[in-house]
């Protein structure tokens, strides 16, 4: 039994528009920053897709990637999907989805915390080796 894959240009175009609407709504919910050609945007529905140059196998691969991005629906899945579209010349805009300012700040503080925790562990080991058995008498 063979699985039906939506591979016509019209079906793929429809699926892509649906996925971009999903990206927009998820980005608004999670406060991601969407940039198109380095300008901040509130939605991505205006993006047009160029699918006529794709071969049938290329359309099948695109359909699989659309299904994967729909299933995962997260920052990483959307970012890799958009870069794939750009590399295959399906979109002409340079689209980026970036983390929110709050999330970037949290990640920065996490890195600082881990670094200071590692430094504290190094200092503790120096202290323990220097102290040794000095106080055990």
């Amino acid at each position: 039994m063979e699985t039906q894959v939506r591979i016509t240009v019209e079906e793929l175009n429809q699926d892509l528009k649906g996925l971009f609407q999903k990206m927009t709504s998820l980005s608004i919910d999670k406060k991601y920053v969407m940039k198109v050609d380095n300008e901040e945007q509130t939605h991505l529905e205006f993006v047009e897709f160029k699918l006529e140059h794709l071969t049938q196998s290329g359309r099948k691969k695109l359909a699989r990637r659309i299904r994967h991005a729909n299933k995962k629906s997260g920052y990483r899945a959307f970012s890799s999907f958009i870069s794939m579209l750009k590399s295959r010349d399906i979109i002409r805009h340079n689209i980026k989805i970036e983390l929110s300012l709050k999330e970037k700040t949290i990640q920065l503080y996490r890195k600082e915390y881990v670094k200071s925790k590692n430094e504290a562990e190094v200092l503790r080991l120096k202290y323990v080796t220097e102290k040794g058995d000095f106080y055990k008498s």
Side-chain angles (χ1 to χ4, degrees):
M1 184 175 201
E2 195 172 308
T3 307
Q4 287 291 341
V5 179
R6 297 170 52 113
I7 58 168
T8 65
V9 172
E10 294 82 21
E11 290 171 335
L12 286 175
N13 205 0
Q14 191 177 26
D15 290 346
L16 280 168
K17 286 184 186 215
L19 180 61
F20 269 67
Q21 288 174 351
K22 186 175 182 178
M23 276 187 217
T24 300
S25 64
L26 189 84
S27 296
I28 291 170
D29 291 345
K30 294 195 174 192
K31 296 179 177 49
Y32 293 150
V33 178
M34 297 178 289
K35 290 186 177 181
V36 178
D37 297 328
N38 291 328
E39 293 180 13
E40 207 168 305
Q41 297 289 329
T42 56
H43 62 87
L44 296 173
E45 282 84 13
F46 64 89
V47 177
E48 294 184 14
F49 310 104
K50 190 170 61 173
L51 302 171
E52 292 78 22
H53 69 285
L54 293 177
T55 62
Q56 184 174 1
S57 62
R59 290 194 303 266
K60 283 183 179 181
K61 289 175 185 175
L62 178 61
R64 280 196 299 272
R65 293 293 296 262
I66 291 171
R67 194 168 47 250
H68 176 74
N70 262 325
K71 182 180 174 186
K72 294 293 182 181
S73 68
Y75 168 76
R76 189 173 182 181
F78 290 156
S79 292
S80 66
F81 181 73
I82 288 172
S83 68
M84 183 272 305
L85 291 178
K86 183 68 179 165
S87 69
R88 292 190 182 173
D89 202 29
I90 295 172
I91 55 176
R92 62 181 177 86
H93 298 290
N94 187 15
I95 301 172
K96 291 187 179 190
I97 297 179
E98 296 178 353
L99 297 173
S100 66
L101 183 61
K102 178 87 170 171
E103 204 165 344
K104 285 180 183 177
T105 307
I106 290 170
Q107 289 179 357
L108 179 69
Y109 288 153
R110 172 76 180 158
K111 285 180 184 176
E112 289 176 8
Y113 165 71
V114 169
K115 182 180 174 186
S116 65
K117 191 170 86 171
N118 290 339
E119 290 172 359
E121 181 63 21
V122 167
L123 291 174
R124 187 191 71 81
L125 289 174
K126 281 183 184 178
Y127 161 72
V128 168
T129 55
E130 184 66 30
K131 181 184 83 161
D133 293 334
F134 183 73
Y135 293 109
K136 291 184 181 179
S137 41

